[in-house]
Amino acid sequence: MKLTFIEEPDLEFGNGSRHIDPRSGINNYGPADLSHAGVRTIQIGIVGTKEAIDGVKAWLDRCREPIAPKESPLSHLYLPFPGFHTSVGFRSTIIWNGRLERTLDKRALENIATLSPLQAVQKGVELYEAELRTLDEEPNCDVIIVCRPDDLPEREEPKTNPDRPWEQPRAASIGFDFHELLKARSLSGSRPIQIIRRETWDPTYKPKGRDRRRQQDEATKAWNLHTALYYKAGGVPWRMTRHVRDLTTCYVGVAFYRSTDNETLQTSVAQVFNERGDGVIVRGAQATQSKDDRQPHLTGDDAKDLLEQSLARYRIEHKTAPARVMLHKTSSFTPEELEGFRAAAEAERLAMLELVWIPREDSPRLFRQGEQTTLRGTLLSLTDTRHLLYTRGSVPFYRTYPGMYVPSALPFRLVDVQSSAAEIATELLALSKMNWNATQLDGRVPITLRTADSIGRILKHLGPNERPAPRYAYYM
């Protein structure tokens, strides 16, 4: 057993500048693509009731100017929003016009709330989908903001076990989530969508029942929403750093999900990233659940095909091939899978293929003396291959633990690697910050698997012959 502390890895921002924190980096240096993208104008469309559209536009206008942070001595955790303006922060501006606004009938949405949860979700998606199709015919639109209905049920239960999403749900009926289903229906469009809740733009609104959740301060809401809009409009807010001596790396996440009819077995999905954070979606083959370990697995041929598809998509997107592939998988590797992945690496002439199993959980926990939780970056090595990394925990830069609950470590197992555990842990810490839906630096799961999971929840609503949108921006 060995304990190691991994220093917080840098991210890259404007003109090659570096910082460990996304918000501080944007604030000080601008976005990573500033040097070649310059000032960016983001033209948005909006779908919602007239009240919601007016409210969102008023709040976006408010966000053009600086927003003070939450009153707190934790000045690095609660950073002011600099304003979404061409001279500060993202060095960008948001514009809209009446042609890109689609107004929904408030009475029709109120009538939906009287239906059963399943019917309400499906009917709500139909209303929004019709307006999204109309907007898709309009030119000069980068991102569409969808104002979520206030009283629509969050989802139709039941849900699968979030830690084992491939397992049979607890009941025979199918669960539908408005966010996931609308995202799936929007994949055929030419623009990504951003779903926004009323509590984001209306501080007086109090959600009912179980929809009530801990609210972020206004500056944090502005940071998170505008980061997502910037990325979805084609921008690069920040990227991972790479030394000139490092191999060009492609990161692949492989996770599993069950179809909505529960008839087909698990299907694999891969998410491909490079150091820039560009995501490419690849839908894999059908998988089977092993009787031995109760985990989903691929055949050797399907594993080979999945990695070859991933690398082919990478070459199309980036006009080059990577020298190294780091593959993260949520289930263990069978001998057949190992043989398939290695055969693909050999066929593609990869200089290096590294395979890491990232289980959903592991039992060991660490505790510090005193009131503070374990430090983010703490690496516990139980054996040469079995490790736990605290991607959540007390953050020295923030001078506190920013979470609500006792953090659990991210387990990872070295299956076939040439890098050391510390080097892989450093990559995992960096990948945990490549999330453009949030600007806090302490995400628990690397973006490879976070994205693969979220993609699976959306792709399950597509038919087997429907081609998914290739960019990650459509799924986040």
Side-chain angles (χ1 to χ4, degrees), residues 359-430:
R360 296 291 178 175
E361 60 183 11
D362 206 344
S363 54
R365 297 285 181 95
L366 290 174
F367 298 91
R368 291 172 65 192
Q369 289 185 339
E371 298 181 357
Q372 291 295 324
T373 62
T374 304
L375 288 170
R376 169 177 157 91
T378 301
L379 173 64
L380 172 62
S381 299
L382 298 169
T383 67
D384 290 341
T385 59
R386 182 185 175 191
H387 307 271
L388 293 98
L389 174 66
Y390 275 82
T391 49
R392 301 220 70 206
S394 294
V395 179
F397 180 72
Y398 291 156
R399 300 195 304 274
T400 190
Y401 168 53
M404 294 181 63
Y405 307 104
V406 177
S408 59
L410 177 76
F412 66 96
R413 311 283 178 89
L414 307 183
V415 178
D416 187 359
V417 300
Q418 298 181 44
S419 303
S420 68
E423 290 170 332
I424 290 174
T426 300
E427 280 190 321
L428 290 172
L429 280 179

Side-chain angles (χ1 to χ4, degrees), residues 51-66:
E51 178 191 18
I53 290 175
D54 290 344
V56 168
K57 288 164 60 178
W59 190 71
L60 291 175
D61 273 334
R62 162 82 180 91
C63 293
R64 297 184 195 277
E65 302 298 325

